[in-house]
Amino acid sequence: MFLLLVSPGLRSGTVALADGESLKYRVSWGILSHAGEISVTARAEELAGLPQLRVSTLTATTGVARKLYKFEARGECLYDGADGRILAAITNSIARKKKSHAMAVFDYGTGTMDYRDYVRPEKSGTHAIPEGSVTDLITCLVQTRSWDMKTGDRRPATVMFDDDFYDLTIVAGDIEKVDTPWGEVDAMVLAPIMEKEPKGMFKRGGKVRVWISQDERRLPVKLEISMKVGTGTAHLTDYTPPAAGLVAASK
């Protein structure tokens, strides 16, 4: 479930993460205050002289939680550094003894995504890319850095999960206080909902909330997923800003 939230990406034309930027989270679940950790890092690259951005994620259980339920997922996403469109994504995970390994490659010339599942090849296939910008859930929420959403605002978004696309509505809620490594901050609560034909975790009654800081960085300082089996919460514990040159350029 947290993999759905933290697989990083970009909206077309807007960069959610910049070269050198990284975020780390501590995950709690029930009575386990340190059940897992999440890390997200971004690194600028070039291929044949073309700028690209590689975003890597690692989600894993730790300590007692790892002994009870071993989970580890790694993701690599590659984006066009010029227009911000996702070019390719690959994921590997292990949950107890269950493994997954899949890759998606986007061809905007043909408007298709080639999806390959190396563990369950029957799921492999070619899918049409929906119109507009396609991204993942956490990127939609991080993109509120530039959306300037106010309480009560609603904004549509199309997100990708595995070989499927979800049409969501991002709803802006109230401003709440959240503890962070640099002190208490004001954060807006955002809730992605699936209003038309819910599927996946949304069909099963799952709920997601993300707290976006209202300072100039607009960071996702807290993530929460509620399911019938319980609620998991991720708190931002460490943040590294982008390289100085990019910060100056963005200003």
PDB file of all heavy atoms in Angstrom, residues 53-74:
ATOM      1  N   LEU A  53      15.948  12.639 -15.450  1.00  0.00           N
ATOM      2  CA  LEU A  53      15.981  12.581 -13.995  1.00  0.00           C
ATOM      3  C   LEU A  53      15.619  11.174 -13.553  1.00  0.00           C
ATOM      4  O   LEU A  53      14.598  10.634 -13.972  1.00  0.00           O
ATOM      5  CB  LEU A  53      14.993  13.581 -13.379  1.00  0.00           C
ATOM      6  CG  LEU A  53      15.082  13.711 -11.849  1.00  0.00           C
ATOM      7  CD1 LEU A  53      16.341  14.496 -11.455  1.00  0.00           C
ATOM      8  CD2 LEU A  53      13.851  14.420 -11.292  1.00  0.00           C
ATOM      9  N   ARG A  54      16.470  10.574 -12.725  1.00  0.00           N
ATOM     10  CA  ARG A  54      16.209   9.238 -12.189  1.00  0.00           C
ATOM     11  C   ARG A  54      15.794   9.375 -10.723  1.00  0.00           C
ATOM     12  O   ARG A  54      16.501   9.978  -9.916  1.00  0.00           O
ATOM     13  CB  ARG A  54      17.457   8.358 -12.283  1.00  0.00           C
ATOM     14  CG  ARG A  54      17.247   6.925 -11.783  1.00  0.00           C
ATOM     15  CD  ARG A  54      18.532   6.118 -11.928  1.00  0.00           C
ATOM     16  NE  ARG A  54      18.955   6.056 -13.309  1.00  0.00           N
ATOM     17  CZ  ARG A  54      18.514   5.148 -14.188  1.00  0.00           C
ATOM     18  NH1 ARG A  54      17.626   4.238 -13.809  1.00  0.00           N
ATOM     19  NH2 ARG A  54      18.952   5.148 -15.434  1.00  0.00           N
ATOM     20  N   VAL A  55      14.647   8.807 -10.391  1.00  0.00           N
ATOM     21  CA  VAL A  55      14.146   8.855  -9.023  1.00  0.00           C
ATOM     22  C   VAL A  55      14.081   7.435  -8.477  1.00  0.00           C
ATOM     23  O   VAL A  55      13.500   6.542  -9.104  1.00  0.00           O
ATOM     24  CB  VAL A  55      12.761   9.520  -8.950  1.00  0.00           C
ATOM     25  CG1 VAL A  55      12.291   9.606  -7.509  1.00  0.00           C
ATOM     26  CG2 VAL A  55      12.803  10.910  -9.569  1.00  0.00           C
ATOM     27  N   SER A  56      14.720   7.223  -7.337  1.00  0.00           N
ATOM     28  CA  SER A  56      14.791   5.888  -6.729  1.00  0.00           C
ATOM     29  C   SER A  56      14.043   5.863  -5.411  1.00  0.00           C
ATOM     30  O   SER A  56      14.075   6.838  -4.652  1.00  0.00           O
ATOM     31  CB  SER A  56      16.256   5.501  -6.488  1.00  0.00           C
ATOM     32  OG  SER A  56      17.005   5.600  -7.676  1.00  0.00           O
ATOM     33  N   THR A  57      13.366   4.753  -5.134  1.00  0.00           N
ATOM     34  CA  THR A  57      12.657   4.590  -3.871  1.00  0.00           C
ATOM     35  C   THR A  57      13.018   3.262  -3.220  1.00  0.00           C
ATOM     36  O   THR A  57      13.328   2.281  -3.908  1.00  0.00           O
ATOM     37  CB  THR A  57      11.120   4.623  -4.066  1.00  0.00           C
ATOM     38  OG1 THR A  57      10.732   3.517  -4.895  1.00  0.00           O
ATOM     39  CG2 THR A  57      10.671   5.915  -4.707  1.00  0.00           C
ATOM     40  N   LEU A  58      12.997   3.250  -1.919  1.00  0.00           N
ATOM     41  CA  LEU A  58      13.179   2.021  -1.149  1.00  0.00           C
ATOM     42  C   LEU A  58      12.176   2.029  -0.009  1.00  0.00           C
ATOM     43  O   LEU A  58      12.137   2.974   0.781  1.00  0.00           O
ATOM     44  CB  LEU A  58      14.596   1.915  -0.595  1.00  0.00           C
ATOM     45  CG  LEU A  58      14.849   0.754   0.379  1.00  0.00           C
ATOM     46  CD1 LEU A  58      14.595  -0.588  -0.307  1.00  0.00           C
ATOM     47  CD2 LEU A  58      16.255   0.815   0.936  1.00  0.00           C
ATOM     48  N   THR A  59      11.346   1.006   0.059  1.00  0.00           N
ATOM     49  CA  THR A  59      10.366   0.852   1.133  1.00  0.00           C
ATOM     50  C   THR A  59      10.605  -0.502   1.788  1.00  0.00           C
ATOM     51  O   THR A  59      10.656  -1.522   1.100  1.00  0.00           O
ATOM     52  CB  THR A  59       8.924   0.894   0.575  1.00  0.00           C
ATOM     53  OG1 THR A  59       8.753   2.079  -0.198  1.00  0.00           O
ATOM     54  CG2 THR A  59       7.905   0.860   1.696  1.00  0.00           C
ATOM     55  N   ALA A  60      10.785  -0.531   3.112  1.00  0.00           N
ATOM     56  CA  ALA A  60      11.103  -1.793   3.770  1.00  0.00           C
ATOM     57  C   ALA A  60      10.637  -1.797   5.222  1.00  0.00           C
ATOM     58  O   ALA A  60      10.631  -0.755   5.883  1.00  0.00           O
ATOM     59  CB  ALA A  60      12.602  -2.049   3.721  1.00  0.00           C
ATOM     60  N   THR A  61      10.228  -2.965   5.690  1.00  0.00           N
ATOM     61  CA  THR A  61       9.929  -3.125   7.105  1.00  0.00           C
ATOM     62  C   THR A  61      11.238  -3.226   7.879  1.00  0.00           C
ATOM     63  O   THR A  61      12.277  -3.595   7.329  1.00  0.00           O
ATOM     64  CB  THR A  61       9.081  -4.386   7.353  1.00  0.00           C
ATOM     65  OG1 THR A  61       9.679  -5.507   6.661  1.00  0.00           O
ATOM     66  CG2 THR A  61       7.661  -4.200   6.856  1.00  0.00           C
ATOM     67  N   THR A  62      11.185  -2.894   9.174  1.00  0.00           N
ATOM     68  CA  THR A  62      12.382  -2.910  10.011  1.00  0.00           C
ATOM     69  C   THR A  62      12.071  -3.535  11.365  1.00  0.00           C
ATOM     70  O   THR A  62      10.911  -3.662  11.767  1.00  0.00           O
ATOM     71  CB  THR A  62      12.916  -1.487  10.245  1.00  0.00           C
ATOM     72  OG1 THR A  62      11.889  -0.699  10.860  1.00  0.00           O
ATOM     73  CG2 THR A  62      13.329  -0.830   8.939  1.00  0.00           C
ATOM     74  N   GLY A  63      13.128  -3.917  12.085  1.00  0.00           N
ATOM     75  CA  GLY A  63      12.994  -4.381  13.463  1.00  0.00           C
ATOM     76  C   GLY A  63      12.026  -5.542  13.645  1.00  0.00           C
ATOM     77  O   GLY A  63      12.023  -6.515  12.887  1.00  0.00           O
ATOM     78  N   VAL A  64      11.181  -5.414  14.661  1.00  0.00           N
ATOM     79  CA  VAL A  64      10.211  -6.464  14.974  1.00  0.00           C
ATOM     80  C   VAL A  64       9.268  -6.708  13.807  1.00  0.00           C
ATOM     81  O   VAL A  64       8.913  -7.847  13.490  1.00  0.00           O
ATOM     82  CB  VAL A  64       9.404  -6.082  16.242  1.00  0.00           C
ATOM     83  CG1 VAL A  64       8.309  -7.115  16.502  1.00  0.00           C
ATOM     84  CG2 VAL A  64      10.327  -5.966  17.448  1.00  0.00           C
ATOM     85  N   ALA A  65       8.855  -5.632  13.144  1.00  0.00           N
ATOM     86  CA  ALA A  65       7.935  -5.764  12.016  1.00  0.00           C
ATOM     87  C   ALA A  65       8.542  -6.610  10.899  1.00  0.00           C
ATOM     88  O   ALA A  65       7.842  -7.386  10.248  1.00  0.00           O
ATOM     89  CB  ALA A  65       7.556  -4.382  11.495  1.00  0.00           C
ATOM     90  N   ARG A  66       9.842  -6.478  10.706  1.00  0.00           N
ATOM     91  CA  ARG A  66      10.499  -7.254   9.652  1.00  0.00           C
ATOM     92  C   ARG A  66      10.532  -8.733   9.993  1.00  0.00           C
ATOM     93  O   ARG A  66      10.442  -9.589   9.102  1.00  0.00           O
ATOM     94  CB  ARG A  66      11.921  -6.729   9.414  1.00  0.00           C
ATOM     95  CG  ARG A  66      12.584  -7.292   8.158  1.00  0.00           C
ATOM     96  CD  ARG A  66      13.906  -6.607   7.866  1.00  0.00           C
ATOM     97  NE  ARG A  66      14.503  -7.068   6.629  1.00  0.00           N
ATOM     98  CZ  ARG A  66      14.220  -6.591   5.421  1.00  0.00           C
ATOM     99  NH1 ARG A  66      13.312  -5.649   5.300  1.00  0.00           N
ATOM    100  NH2 ARG A  66      14.820  -7.080   4.339  1.00  0.00           N
ATOM    101  N   LYS A  67      10.660  -9.043  11.295  1.00  0.00           N
ATOM    102  CA  LYS A  67      10.630 -10.448  11.707  1.00  0.00           C
ATOM    103  C   LYS A  67       9.226 -11.040  11.515  1.00  0.00           C
ATOM    104  O   LYS A  67       9.078 -12.214  11.181  1.00  0.00           O
ATOM    105  CB  LYS A  67      11.060 -10.562  13.162  1.00  0.00           C
ATOM    106  CG  LYS A  67      12.528 -10.182  13.397  1.00  0.00           C
ATOM    107  CD  LYS A  67      12.903 -10.321  14.864  1.00  0.00           C
ATOM    108  CE  LYS A  67      14.366  -9.950  15.089  1.00  0.00           C
ATOM    109  NZ  LYS A  67      14.768 -10.054  16.509  1.00  0.00           N
ATOM    110  N   LEU A  68       8.209 -10.199  11.735  1.00  0.00           N
ATOM    111  CA  LEU A  68       6.839 -10.657  11.573  1.00  0.00           C
ATOM    112  C   LEU A  68       6.422 -10.707  10.109  1.00  0.00           C
ATOM    113  O   LEU A  68       5.680 -11.601   9.696  1.00  0.00           O
ATOM    114  CB  LEU A  68       5.886  -9.738  12.344  1.00  0.00           C
ATOM    115  CG  LEU A  68       6.049  -9.707  13.866  1.00  0.00           C
ATOM    116  CD1 LEU A  68       5.146  -8.640  14.467  1.00  0.00           C
ATOM    117  CD2 LEU A  68       5.722 -11.079  14.463  1.00  0.00           C
ATOM    118  N   TYR A  69       6.889  -9.712   9.338  1.00  0.00           N
ATOM    119  CA  TYR A  69       6.487  -9.625   7.941  1.00  0.00           C
ATOM    120  C   TYR A  69       7.598  -8.949   7.148  1.00  0.00           C
ATOM    121  O   TYR A  69       7.730  -7.726   7.171  1.00  0.00           O
ATOM    122  CB  TYR A  69       5.186  -8.824   7.809  1.00  0.00           C
ATOM    123  CG  TYR A  69       4.607  -8.811   6.418  1.00  0.00           C
ATOM    124  CD1 TYR A  69       3.801  -9.862   5.976  1.00  0.00           C
ATOM    125  CD2 TYR A  69       4.870  -7.761   5.547  1.00  0.00           C
ATOM    126  CE1 TYR A  69       3.266  -9.853   4.692  1.00  0.00           C
ATOM    127  CE2 TYR A  69       4.344  -7.746   4.268  1.00  0.00           C
ATOM    128  CZ  TYR A  69       3.535  -8.796   3.848  1.00  0.00           C
ATOM    129  OH  TYR A  69       3.019  -8.792   2.581  1.00  0.00           O
ATOM    130  N   LYS A  70       8.398  -9.727   6.467  1.00  0.00           N
ATOM    131  CA  LYS A  70       9.484  -9.168   5.673  1.00  0.00           C
ATOM    132  C   LYS A  70       8.932  -8.564   4.394  1.00  0.00           C
ATOM    133  O   LYS A  70       8.280  -9.245   3.590  1.00  0.00           O
ATOM    134  CB  LYS A  70      10.518 -10.239   5.327  1.00  0.00           C
ATOM    135  CG  LYS A  70      11.690  -9.693   4.514  1.00  0.00           C
ATOM    136  CD  LYS A  70      12.692 -10.782   4.176  1.00  0.00           C
ATOM    137  CE  LYS A  70      13.840 -10.212   3.334  1.00  0.00           C
ATOM    138  NZ  LYS A  70      14.828 -11.247   2.980  1.00  0.00           N
ATOM    139  N   PHE A  71       9.180  -7.284   4.212  1.00  0.00           N
ATOM    140  CA  PHE A  71       8.773  -6.592   3.001  1.00  0.00           C
ATOM    141  C   PHE A  71       9.867  -5.632   2.572  1.00  0.00           C
ATOM    142  O   PHE A  71      10.417  -4.890   3.385  1.00  0.00           O
ATOM    143  CB  PHE A  71       7.476  -5.799   3.209  1.00  0.00           C
ATOM    144  CG  PHE A  71       7.086  -4.987   1.995  1.00  0.00           C
ATOM    145  CD1 PHE A  71       6.447  -5.595   0.934  1.00  0.00           C
ATOM    146  CD2 PHE A  71       7.377  -3.635   1.915  1.00  0.00           C
ATOM    147  CE1 PHE A  71       6.107  -4.858  -0.207  1.00  0.00           C
ATOM    148  CE2 PHE A  71       7.046  -2.895   0.793  1.00  0.00           C
ATOM    149  CZ  PHE A  71       6.404  -3.506  -0.272  1.00  0.00           C
ATOM    150  N   GLU A  72      10.205  -5.660   1.282  1.00  0.00           N
ATOM    151  CA  GLU A  72      11.187  -4.735   0.736  1.00  0.00           C
ATOM    152  C   GLU A  72      10.855  -4.491  -0.728  1.00  0.00           C
ATOM    153  O   GLU A  72      10.655  -5.437  -1.491  1.00  0.00           O
ATOM    154  CB  GLU A  72      12.596  -5.293   0.872  1.00  0.00           C
ATOM    155  CG  GLU A  72      13.682  -4.310   0.414  1.00  0.00           C
ATOM    156  CD  GLU A  72      15.074  -4.801   0.784  1.00  0.00           C
ATOM    157  OE1 GLU A  72      15.283  -5.129   1.971  1.00  0.00           O
ATOM    158  OE2 GLU A  72      15.937  -4.873  -0.123  1.00  0.00           O
ATOM    159  N   ALA A  73      10.761  -3.219  -1.096  1.00  0.00           N
ATOM    160  CA  ALA A  73      10.438  -2.858  -2.475  1.00  0.00           C
ATOM    161  C   ALA A  73      11.366  -1.754  -2.955  1.00  0.00           C
ATOM    162  O   ALA A  73      11.601  -0.776  -2.250  1.00  0.00           O
ATOM    163  CB  ALA A  73       8.986  -2.388  -2.573  1.00  0.00           C
ATOM    164  N   ARG A  74      11.901  -1.949  -4.148  1.00  0.00           N
ATOM    165  CA  ARG A  74      12.772  -0.948  -4.764  1.00  0.00           C
ATOM    166  C   ARG A  74      12.166  -0.506  -6.088  1.00  0.00           C
ATOM    167  O   ARG A  74      11.643  -1.334  -6.843  1.00  0.00           O
ATOM    168  CB  ARG A  74      14.175  -1.523  -5.005  1.00  0.00           C
ATOM    169  CG  ARG A  74      14.910  -1.879  -3.716  1.00  0.00           C
ATOM    170  CD  ARG A  74      16.284  -2.475  -4.009  1.00  0.00           C
ATOM    171  NE  ARG A  74      16.971  -2.848  -2.785  1.00  0.00           N
ATOM    172  CZ  ARG A  74      17.724  -2.028  -2.065  1.00  0.00           C
ATOM    173  NH1 ARG A  74      17.913  -0.769  -2.488  1.00  0.00           N
ATOM    174  NH2 ARG A  74      18.313  -2.431  -0.962  1.00  0.00           N
TER     175      ARG A  74
END
